[in-house]
Amino acid sequence: MTYSPEALRAFVEAAQLGSFSAAARKLHKSQSTISTAIANLETDLNVVLFDRQAKHPVLTKEGKRILNQVKEILLANEKLDELATRLSAQTESRLTFILSDIYYSQRHEKNLYDFEQQYPDIEFECLLAEDEDVIELLQTGRANIGVIEARSSYPADISHYRLPHQTDIAIFVAATHPLASLKQVTREQLNNSRQLYLNTYSGHNKLKSSGLVWSAPSYLLLLEMAELGFGWAALPRWLVKRFSHYPLKELNIAGWPKTISIDAVWSNVSPPGPAGRWWLDQLSL
């Protein structure tokens, strides 16, 4: 028996998010479409996957067992699609890559030169985005591949793999900021000062303190705000070293700096073509 990939993805998303409506938003479908797809899957399997008596659907014992199997099926389908794309050699006419400020690799410039030599006739576009904005750009088809701060889970329609690169993020302030004169800074002292935090267009805040805050959708903008003395910000060390124009002070605070892993991400609904796969291969080096 064959099962609809859309129904399988709907099942996985609903199980992970705990809501049919949340799954619908993630997959850009109506809630009725998700509910129907899952109901049809239950009919095909002759198994009840969700207990719908509670406020939110809860996986049944059978649903929990089937969930892992469905994930394996989707992963196998994804690998088959990638292989078929490679074998067909249907090179895409355009490639859009999402670059994150947390990503730093000495190979990045070389990758650009090599890409131009390998695919001279392909239109290449580079976007800057972070966190949820990266996921949304991939899901809407606006971009093909990207890099993102590694997370524990992804939507069912997003594939990923861990890159060999990591980034150190520390808390910085301008040299003239009151916190810069302290040998050790506490969380309470941070909360009493303005935080400059990363806030994506999708509206998912990051490291937001309880005090006064300003925000921006990129680390470069936060860097400029910090340089002007408007507050403290968690910034990639490499970015500060390379792009700061005025002195910044790294604060000594418990738990910082933090080492961040980075993932390459792409949509498995519209997987990258040969040029995109080439770029992903270079990211892994």
Side-chain angles (χ1 to χ4, degrees):
M1 181 180 295
T2 58
Y3 308 104
S4 163
E6 290 74 18
L8 298 180
R9 289 193 184 93
F11 168 54
V12 171
E13 285 294 351
Q16 291 182 161
L17 298 173
S19 165
F20 288 2
S21 58
R25 289 192 296 272
K26 277 288 184 181
L27 297 176
H28 302 282
K29 305 287 185 181
S30 67
Q31 183 172 341
S32 61
T33 299
I34 297 299
S35 298
T36 300
I38 293 175
N40 290 338
L41 181 61
E42 289 177 319
T43 300
D44 291 340
L45 294 171
N46 195 28
V47 169
V48 177
L49 299 173
F50 290 99
D51 180 354
R52 297 170 172 79
Q53 294 181 354
K55 182 178 180 181
H56 298 289
V58 178
L59 278 174
T60 61
K61 179 176 64 176
E62 294 78 11
K64 291 178 181 178
R65 293 186 61 183
I66 288 175
L67 178 61
N68 290 331
Q69 190 71 31
V70 170
K71 288 181 178 179
E72 291 180 6
I73 292 172
L74 290 175
L75 180 60
N77 283 342
E78 174 192 331
K79 291 180 177 178
L80 179 59
D81 288 341
E82 290 177 6
L83 177 59
T85 299
R86 287 178 183 270
L87 294 176
S88 67
Q90 294 177 354
T91 304
E92 57 268 53
S93 60
R94 176 189 177 96
L95 180 67
T96 299
F97 172 60
I98 312 169
L99 184 63
S100 164
D101 285 336
I102 64 169
Y103 172 77
Y104 173 72
S105 171
Q106 293 181 340
R107 290 186 52 87
H108 182 60
E109 289 79 6
K110 183 178 185 303
N111 289 345
L112 288 172
Y113 283 115
D114 291 347
F115 182 82
E116 193 224 2
Q117 295 298 314
Q118 187 80 13
Y119 299 100
D121 299 322
I122 290 182
E123 180 182 350
F124 179 78
E125 178 185 26
C126 188
L127 303 177
L128 289 175
E130 307 292 342
D131 291 349
E132 291 300 324
D133 287 347
V134 176
I135 301 297
E136 185 170 316
L137 287 167
L138 294 173
Q139 289 180 321
T140 58
R142 179 61 181 83
N144 306 108
I145 56 178
V147 290
I148 190 173
E149 179 179 329
R151 52 182 63 190
S152 58
S153 64
Y154 290 88
D157 59 338
I158 297 296
S159 296
H160 71 282
Y161 68 76
R162 189 63 41 87
L163 298 181
H165 315 288
Q166 292 184 314
T167 293
D168 288 334
I169 292 185
I171 295 182
F172 292 91
V173 294
T176 56
H177 192 280
L179 292 178
S181 62
L182 301 179
K183 292 183 178 180
Q184 180 78 33
V185 178
T186 66
R187 171 57 62 178
E188 181 180 3
Q189 288 170 322
L190 281 183
N191 287 341
N192 290 331
S193 299
R194 181 188 291 120
Q195 180 189 0
L196 310 174
Y197 75 98
L198 186 71
N199 188 26
T200 62
Y201 293 106
S202 298
H204 292 260
N205 301 341
K206 186 172 188 174
L207 194 73
K208 185 175 178 180
S209 72
S210 59
L212 179 63
V213 295
W214 285 12
S215 67
S218 79
Y219 284 109
L220 271 174
L221 288 174
L222 295 181
L223 170 61
E224 290 188 359
M225 290 180 181
E227 286 180 324
L228 294 172
F230 292 128
W232 60 269
L235 300 169
R237 277 174 158 175
W238 82 268
L239 196 75
V240 173
K241 182 178 180 180
R242 184 166 180 176
F243 292 108
S244 60
H245 299 95
Y246 304 101
L248 286 178
K249 171 70 179 298
E250 181 178 331
L251 298 184
N252 181 13
I253 182 170
W256 294 85
K258 295 183 177 181
T259 299
I260 304 299
S261 296
I262 302 172
D263 284 346
V265 287
W266 65 96
S267 168
N268 53 50
V269 176
S270 301
R277 297 306 311 180
W278 179 93
W279 193 269
L280 287 171
D281 289 342
Q282 303 313 301
L283 290 175
S284 66
L285 298 178

